[in-house]
Amino acid sequence: MKQEPIKTEAIEITYREAVREALRDAIKRDERVFLMGEDVGRYGGCYAVSHGLLAQFGPERIRDTPLSESGFTGAGIGAAMAGMRPIVEVMTVNFSLLALDQILNTAATLRHMSGNQFGVPLVIRMATGAGRQLAAQHSHSLEGWYAHVPGITVLAPATLEDARGMLWTALEDPDPVLIFENVMLYNMTGRLAADAGAVDIDKAAVRRPGRDISLITYGGSLWKTLEAATTLAGDGIEAEVIDLRSLRPLDDATIMASVAKTRHAIIVDEGWRTGSLAAEVGMRIVEQAFWSLDAPLGRVCSEEVPIPYPRHLENAAIPQATKIVAATKAALDRA
Amino acid sequence: MVEFRMPSLGADMEAGTLVEWLIKPGDVVKRGQVVAVVETQKGAIEIETFQAGRIDKVLVDLHSKVPVGTPLALILAEGEEKLAVAAAAVPPPAVIAPPAAPPLERPRIAPAPPLSPVRPRVAPGTQVSPAARRLAQERGIDLSTVTGSGRDGAITYADVERRAAEVMAPAVPVAPAERKRAPTLDLGAMRVAIAAAMARSKREIPHYYLEHQVEVTACERWLAEKNATLPPEGRLLFGALPIKAVALAIRRFPAFNGFYRDNKFAPSPAVHVGVAISIRGGGLAAPALHDVDQLPLDELMRQMRDLIQRTRAGRIRGSEMSDPTITVSSLGERGVETLYGIIYPPQVAIIGIGKAVVRPWVIDGAIGPRSVITMTLSGDHRVTDGHAGALFLAEIGKLLQEPEKL
Amino acid sequence: MTAAADKPRLSREHMLDLLKQMIRIRRFEDKCVELYTQEKIRGFMHLYDGEEAVAVGVIPVLDKRDRVVATYREHGQALVRGVPMTTIMAEMYGKQEGCARGRGGSMHLFDAATNFYGGNAIVGGGLPLAVGLGLADHMRGNDIVTACFFGDGAVAEGEFHESMNLAALWGLPVLFVCENNLYAMGTALALSESETDIHRKAECYRIISEAVDGMDVVAVEAAARRAVHAVRESRKPYFLECRTYRLRAHSMFDPQLYRDKAEVEARRHSEPIVRFQQWLETNHMIHPEDLPRILAEIDAEIAQSVAFAEAGTWEPVDQLTRFVYADAAVPAGR
């Protein structure tokens, strides 16, 4: 997957390297920042994101933990409350369920329960998504679930700029921020401005302008959606592609402006269809842009099945560019 | 004297059943002493008193289930005398209402733009997309006049757009929420719309033309009489008479009143006469007077006055632009003797009225001067032919001979 | 272990203070029961009767700069730590003058001024938090101690084991205080743990641990002095199992079907306040005028806090969605 070229002096870099640069930059800049998680140090990171950082910063700043998701996530919470700026890496969203109590019952609630006395300036990074035939317990996309919870911010960087730039802004946030990195994006290469820095974490971005339909998506699905848009253009359909970037808060203004223009919308979301983030976005569109709609809303999500192991079944279970094209044509009555 | 009440022992306890008294009237109790046993859904719990003193009276029978807060006994504080009043009614326990659920704060979302109620004119079962519905409202398009091209015949935005272009609406979309503001009249855009509509009319409609001369002396005399008693602003103008006459004539000739669409003519049950009105600067509009066949003349006149004034000020309602079922065009006194109009699609006829001219006329074998107008009919030959047109015109002329009956 | 810092001062003044602190907690809890039965306090409420010696023995040994993490049975800890009784009572009422703006209630008392980190309704939930506080202090190289209170029930949770392991592995300055009152809500310890000698579990993680009679406030204080000193000097964790007993039910709505009334009565005879008072009388450390004075002071303070809470105000409903995020940074729709 390749990205569009950037204007300023750019370097060739992978998404993985962009995240690593973000970590390196943060740890260098602020002595309160440290990375903590399973195999982030000696192993170099399950997805090689933190490769080389232990040698550069030492074991206090790049801290390997035992397999104790609840323990070390809670420890991250406590350290953040006591003035540090920890980055907790939960290996994947699949394992985060073991830390769900700490995330939901402590991190998300502490400011409120304490009447604004204590905040939790914690960043939690997790890998997410399917596509590597890792089967049912290793292929979840639960970003939508986390976006359900008040008290946290949920991000899905899909581009190199966002992979590089969201972390610093997240570290500056006085409240917990969850960053989801789709596993299929780590190898993505492209060009990134050499001086790429912090980016905002509360706005969606129009990645491709169009006039016929709004395709709203995030994370790993962005590139499939852009691919679908290219195919559609060949059929005379100009799709506008919106990258949500932040799943909580959602950027209603950008979404509604797009739907007001195109009058059609499809949401592409790798979570399971039922109760998905797509359902939330769809409902907001109905609440705020009902009178703009010229056709029913649509969504392309994962099928109601635990993600299967064989490639062809896994591909059939998750969103694909072909499904997005078909859904678009159906919405525009051009099937 | 203090009331010992059924205590709340838990978040979800609403009532309890007294199953045992551990004291009796006359006993002295200390603060914190267990005085009774209460059965709850979880089991039997001992309850204590927080008041010290002497038990004066027990108020509740054993094995009765009472709500939390019900007085169970009366306790006399140390030193307090028993009240002389014998069977003093115990005031009913203050109802401890559960705290009212706080009203939920309304989520901060932008409200949908306010829309005035849509007139239910679409046939039941027709599906209209929200965008189409809003556009129709903005442009004053009657949805019953729109053909849907969406799935299962649903009316889409594009369908309403097409219809709006057909209707020669001036470039003044009157948003319902903005009625109070005076919109500007875009004459340039109007001219473009006129050009489009007229070109299409000539392209698609096979026009035929008929001409008829009608004596209007009776009208003039009747008008003079009528107007003598009316204030200037209430006076009837000649122009109202042919309009009413056309509307009445249509009752006998409905084929000239309606819309031609999708290769078929749909007669209109109502008679909305479009009145061609010229606008200073080169504009032209033909908005409708509604249900003219049922309007008394003075009311018709009043509406006409209002319509002309509003049209020239650029304040026509969208429905007035889209509703005419037939049009009458008159050049008034400054015009020419004969006017052949171009039909405004999707209407199927237009009546042209020339100026009144005094001509020599044969009456009872003799020639005399009479006020005469030349009336023309341009008809859509797909719907009517010359024969019907001639009869129609003749009918109008006949009606104009008896103005008092208009 | 150096001598002076570790031994309790057996002065009359200090002894009376220990007594007063325990009675203060007991009377406060008593008043809470009364208010709860009148529905002034709602929800879940868990009382400390019988366990006062633990909080009173441990917390005064800590410094102001040290940190305290507690459970939902934390009125005692909060009071001893110095969270004002007025704000605690207002919090119980749900008034915005409460120590958590009324948002938390009985189970979620918080006070930044006294480094009181709550108040946690998830059994075992506070342990990873305490580990994290200790981690920060460890990374900063200061000498702050974090005291983490939890019950025997927490010992069954995975988070307990993860926290023990992390604290020992990384060498974190956390004092783990297990208030073993023999019942996890309605489940007796023997029915829940294969190893009921709780402090031995800490030994498995190579954490120095002790068991102490939690009904003897002087013994608790002595153990706490040893423990806090050790943590502060060694920067390693320490485990103190305080064997105590809960005289009241688990919470308000509990008919205690799981234990014998006779057992509770027997325990009442050896509960910490009764024992300590007897010991003081035997050793002539308490004079006839002391107790009435102490009770009068306490009752006055309690009456004042009730008045404070009664006079308190309800937070306006239009403020409902505040304090979910740091206010300054909240964009619309978050």
Side-chain angles (χ1 to χ4, degrees):
Chain A
M1 277 175 281
K2 282 241 171 208
Q3 269 199 281
E4 296 305 313
I6 319 291
K7 289 188 279 290
T8 65
E9 188 215 322
I11 49 171
E12 183 97 354
I13 193 174
T14 63
Y15 183 102
R16 163 188 298 109
E17 286 163 345
V19 179
R20 187 182 308 142
E21 273 319 297
L23 286 166
R24 202 195 306 274
D25 177 49
I27 295 173
K28 268 203 291 215
R29 265 211 257 184
D30 187 339
E31 56 172 19
R32 300 172 299 171
V33 175
F34 66 99
L35 177 67
M36 172 163 65
E38 293 162 10
D39 292 319
V40 297
R42 283 160 202 79
Y43 189 95
C46 174
Y47 296 97
V49 172
S50 51
H51 184 78
L53 295 182
L54 174 64
Q56 184 173 358
F57 295 109
E60 288 287 303
R61 305 296 296 281
I62 306 295
R63 185 175 278 272
D64 279 324
T65 66
L67 274 63
S68 304
E69 281 77 6
S70 188
F72 67 74
T73 301
I77 294 168
M81 284 170 74
M84 305 299 286
R85 287 286 187 272
I87 302 168
V88 167
E89 180 175 310
V90 178
M91 197 178 275
T92 76
V93 70
N94 308 287
F95 313 148
S96 75
L97 300 177
L98 293 160
L100 194 51
D101 175 68
Q102 287 297 319
I103 295 171
L104 176 46
N105 273 324
T106 307
T109 59
L110 210 51
R111 180 179 292 283
H112 182 263
M113 273 193 319
S114 70
N116 205 28
Q117 288 182 89
F118 296 105
V120 181
L122 171 67
V123 173
I124 304 177
R125 289 177 40 247
M126 307 191 220
T128 183
R132 297 231 177 273
Q133 295 187 253
L134 301 183
Q137 294 178 333
H138 277 63
S139 306
H140 299 318
S141 290
L142 297 175
E143 298 90 301
W145 260 19
Y146 283 103
H148 179 61
V149 179
I152 59 176
T153 294
V154 178
L155 305 177
T159 63
L160 296 182
E161 284 77 23
D162 287 346
R164 175 70 181 84
M166 282 186 158
L167 180 65
W168 183 255
T169 315
L171 284 165
E172 290 190 312
D173 198 302
D175 295 302
V177 179
L178 274 52
I179 303 180
F180 288 89
E181 298 159 9
N182 190 287
V183 290
M184 303 303 284
L185 296 180
Y186 282 127
N187 288 337
M188 175 173 82
T189 30
R191 298 185 73 72
L192 180 67
D195 62 349
V199 300
D200 73 75
I201 56 173
D202 57 1
K203 296 274 179 294
V206 178
R207 298 295 184 198
R208 182 191 191 283
R211 57 158 201 274
D212 293 324
I213 187 166
S214 301
L215 301 178
I216 302 163
T217 185
Y218 68 91
S221 301
L222 173 64
W223 303 99
K224 300 176 189 175
T225 308
L226 286 170
E227 190 191 319
T230 304
T231 305
L232 289 163
D235 286 329
I237 297 172
E238 291 301 319
E240 177 150 292
V241 177
I242 296 181
D243 177 5
L244 289 173
R245 301 179 67 246
S246 166
L247 307 186
R248 183 175 192 114
L250 283 169
D251 180 1
D252 288 350
T254 302
I255 296 169
M256 303 312 151
S258 177
V259 175
K261 183 172 68 165
T262 66
R263 292 190 290 278
H264 299 77
I266 284 179
I267 305 129
V268 184
D269 173 0
E270 199 178 311
W272 288 299
R273 189 183 156 79
T274 304
S276 56
L277 185 73
E280 171 65 22
V281 175
M283 185 65 198
R284 290 192 187 205
I285 293 175
V286 171
E287 285 172 338
Q288 300 176 51
F290 176 74
W291 297 103
S292 297
L293 293 174
D294 205 21
L297 298 171
R299 52 185 163 167
V300 178
C301 301
S302 286
E303 302 299 328
E304 304 288 286
V305 63
I307 305 300
Y309 158 67
R311 174 181 296 282
H312 69 293
L313 288 183
E314 182 180 51
N315 285 342
I318 62 178
Q320 302 294 350
T322 44
K323 293 188 188 180
I324 301 168
V325 169
T328 302
K329 289 186 171 173
L332 294 173
D333 243 348
R334 317 246 203 123
Chain B
M1 179 91 74
V2 177
E3 286 172 340
F4 171 64
R5 296 168 177 267
M6 174 67 77
S8 168
L9 294 170
D12 47 353
M13 176 179 168
E14 291 168 20
T17 307
L18 205 53
V19 292
E20 193 184 345
W21 280 112
L22 299 174
I23 45 80
K24 55 188 187 306
D27 285 353
V28 172
V29 294
K30 293 196 309 243
R31 180 186 158 94
Q33 181 172 341
V34 173
V35 297
V37 180
V38 169
E39 184 76 44
T40 68
Q41 70 245 36
K42 282 197 174 182
I45 300 185
E46 291 173 344
I47 57 176
E48 60 199 273
T49 171
F50 293 96
Q51 302 296 328
R54 191 148 43 86
I55 304 290
D56 178 55
K57 191 194 268 217
V58 156
L59 300 170
V60 165
D61 295 330
L62 284 182
H63 306 293
S64 49
K65 187 169 179 184
V66 296
V68 166
T70 307
L72 302 175
L74 294 174
I75 301 178
L76 279 170
E78 214 181 299
E80 202 182 339
E81 291 297 319
K82 184 171 173 154
L83 284 177
V85 184
V90 179
V95 173
I96 304 169
L104 292 172
E105 184 181 83
R106 246 192 271 140
R108 278 172 281 155
I109 46 170
L115 287 167
S116 44
V118 179
R119 276 195 275 167
R121 285 181 160 208
V122 191
T126 310
Q127 286 175 309
V128 185
S129 85
R133 202 173 275 281
R134 180 162 70 176
L135 181 63
Q137 187 130 15
E138 285 170 4
R139 299 283 181 89
I141 301 293
D142 178 354
L143 284 168
S144 68
T145 66
V146 180
T147 312
S149 69
R151 205 174 315 172
D152 298 329
I155 295 175
T156 68
Y157 188 91
D159 295 328
V160 175
E161 261 187 328
R162 256 193 301 275
R163 172 76 184 123
E166 281 176 14
V167 172
M168 209 187 61
V172 186
V174 183
E178 292 167 5
R179 276 204 195 158
K180 298 214 167 83
R181 268 203 295 134
T184 50
L185 203 46
D186 187 348
L187 291 175
M190 182 185 287
R191 189 42 59 186
V192 168
I194 294 169
M198 294 293 94
R200 178 177 157 214
S201 175
K202 278 286 165 169
R203 242 190 347 260
E204 293 175 15
I205 302 178
H207 284 60
Y208 69 90
Y209 304 98
L210 297 174
E211 182 187 309
H212 185 45
Q213 294 201 331
V214 177
E215 199 218 325
V216 292
T217 315
C219 286
E220 286 178 353
R221 216 176 274 145
W222 182 81
L223 275 176
E225 254 176 51
K226 200 99 169 68
N227 287 335
T229 64
L230 291 171
E233 63 275 9
R235 286 188 186 143
L236 293 176
L237 296 179
F238 178 83
L241 304 179
I243 289 173
K244 183 69 186 284
V246 165
L248 293 175
I250 278 172
R251 285 181 183 164
R252 289 188 58 207
F253 297 92
F256 294 90
N257 184 65
F259 304 111
Y260 190 88
R261 271 199 296 262
D262 298 323
N263 300 317
K264 59 182 185 297
F265 171 69
S268 169
V271 184
H272 306 317
V273 179
V275 179
I277 299 167
S278 67
I279 299 168
R280 190 170 319 179
L284 175 66
L289 292 166
H290 291 85
D291 301 302
V292 175
D293 57 326
Q294 292 163 35
L295 289 176
L297 263 182
D298 48 347
E299 176 59 22
L300 170 61
M301 190 67 234
R302 195 194 61 73
Q303 285 191 16
M304 232 175 95
R305 247 193 205 100
D306 173 61
L307 187 62
I308 292 167
Q309 188 210 351
R310 279 192 293 111
T311 302
R312 291 193 173 138
R315 288 184 284 120
I316 324 169
R317 296 172 204 132
S319 58
E320 287 165 335
M321 282 315 301
S322 57
D323 286 351
T325 54
I326 186 171
T327 300
V328 172
S329 184
S330 165
L331 293 172
E333 279 145 5
R334 292 163 311 193
V336 296
E337 290 153 20
T338 312
L339 156 66
Y340 286 101
I342 303 177
I343 299 170
Y344 290 66
Q347 296 166 45
V348 296
I350 179 168
I351 306 285
I353 313 265
K355 71 174 183 191
V357 171
V358 176
R359 291 188 191 282
W361 205 252
V362 177
I363 309 142
D364 296 331
I367 294 182
R370 284 289 188 270
S371 213
V372 175
I373 58 167
T374 304
M375 221 169 43
T376 64
L377 166 69
S378 308
D380 184 337
H381 217 303
R382 298 171 298 184
V383 184
T384 56
D385 58 14
H387 179 68
L391 291 174
F392 181 43
L393 276 179
E395 176 69 14
I396 298 170
K398 203 167 104 196
L399 288 166
L400 283 172
Q401 302 315 304
E402 290 176 301
E404 66 282 356
K405 288 188 182 163
L406 287 175
Chain C
M1 219 85 81
T2 63
D6 307 338
K7 290 225 171 85
R9 292 163 289 131
L10 292 180
S11 67
R12 187 179 114 82
E13 187 196 328
H14 182 61
M15 295 294 106
L16 285 181
D17 185 58
L18 290 178
L19 181 67
K20 179 175 179 184
Q21 294 292 341
M22 288 197 289
I23 295 178
R24 182 171 177 254
I25 296 172
R26 181 69 61 87
R27 301 286 266 205
F28 177 87
E29 300 293 68
D30 220 34
K31 178 56 77 174
C32 286
V33 175
E34 182 182 347
L35 294 169
Y36 191 97
T37 62
Q38 295 166 3
E39 298 186 287
K40 304 274 187 174
I41 300 172
R42 310 296 309 265
F44 284 158
M45 190 172 74
H46 309 83
L47 302 164
Y48 206 53
D49 294 43
E51 304 185 33
E52 296 87 349
V54 181
V56 173
V58 174
I59 289 180
V61 175
L62 300 167
D63 280 350
K64 277 199 184 334
R65 68 187 188 281
D66 292 327
R67 311 182 197 271
V68 178
V69 178
T71 70
Y72 49 75
R73 195 183 301 282
E74 87 283 38
H75 304 169
Q77 284 86 347
L79 283 166
V80 182
R81 185 59 177 161
V83 182
M85 191 188 280
T86 44
T87 63
I88 295 177
M89 188 60 86
E91 185 63 34
M92 309 276 286
Y93 268 61
K95 301 286 179 82
Q96 61 181 342
E97 291 79 2
C99 53
R101 297 186 81 98
R103 297 266 180 151
S106 165
M107 296 191 289
H108 302 300
L109 304 178
F110 286 84
D111 186 46
T114 54
N115 290 320
F116 194 80
Y117 290 85
N120 196 312
I122 304 293
V123 173
L127 276 88
L129 185 74
V131 165
L133 296 170
L135 177 62
D137 291 327
H138 161 86
M139 293 182 76
R140 288 220 185 94
N142 58 36
D143 68 345
I144 294 175
V145 173
T146 295
C148 180
F149 292 84
F150 54 96
D152 46 289
V155 153
E157 290 281 351
E159 285 177 322
F160 167 80
H161 297 277
E162 294 185 18
S163 302
M164 291 287 108
N165 186 40
L166 286 171
L169 189 68
W170 292 342
L172 303 179
V174 181
L175 170 60
F176 292 100
V177 182
C178 178
E179 301 179 289
N180 179 3
N181 61 20
L182 301 177
Y183 292 90
M185 195 155 107
T187 304
L189 183 63
L191 297 176
S192 149
E193 289 298 318
S194 54
E195 170 62 83
T196 55
D197 243 339
I198 291 178
H199 75 286
R200 294 190 63 194
K201 296 177 196 284
E203 284 167 11
C204 294
Y205 294 101
R206 306 291 184 114
I207 295 178
I208 299 176
S209 76
E210 254 190 77
V212 64
D213 180 0
M215 304 302 250
D216 178 343
V217 67
V218 175
V220 174
E221 183 184 325
R225 283 187 179 279
R226 278 195 294 283
V228 172
H229 181 84
V231 176
R232 208 184 295 288
E233 296 299 307
S234 71
R235 310 312 289 147
K236 288 198 187 332
Y238 201 102
F239 193 96
L240 206 56
E241 179 194 345
C242 297
R243 294 179 171 164
T244 180
Y245 195 85
R246 196 189 74 211
L247 293 175
R248 283 191 181 271
H250 165 73
S251 68
M252 282 303 293
F253 205 5
D254 173 14
Q256 302 187 70
L257 305 172
Y258 47 85
R259 63 183 186 181
D260 247 348
K261 277 171 66 169
E263 175 190 307
V264 182
E265 280 317 299
R267 287 289 186 157
R268 217 179 277 283
H269 293 308
S270 61
E271 60 103 327
I273 295 175
V274 163
R275 263 176 74 167
F276 193 56
Q277 206 171 311
Q278 282 168 357
W279 184 85
L280 290 174
E281 280 161 8
T282 306
N283 289 282
H284 307 296
M285 288 202 140
I286 190 168
H287 302 157
E289 70 276 12
D290 287 329
L291 200 51
R293 173 181 56 81
I294 286 172
L295 290 174
E297 283 168 5
I298 288 170
D299 286 345
E301 189 187 3
I302 291 176
Q304 185 205 19
S305 1
V306 174
F308 180 84
E310 287 283 345
T313 53
W314 302 109
E315 192 172 6
V317 175
D318 62 16
Q319 301 288 297
L320 175 64
T321 54
R322 290 187 71 197
F323 316 122
V324 180
Y325 298 92
D327 267 345
V330 175
R334 205 190 253 218

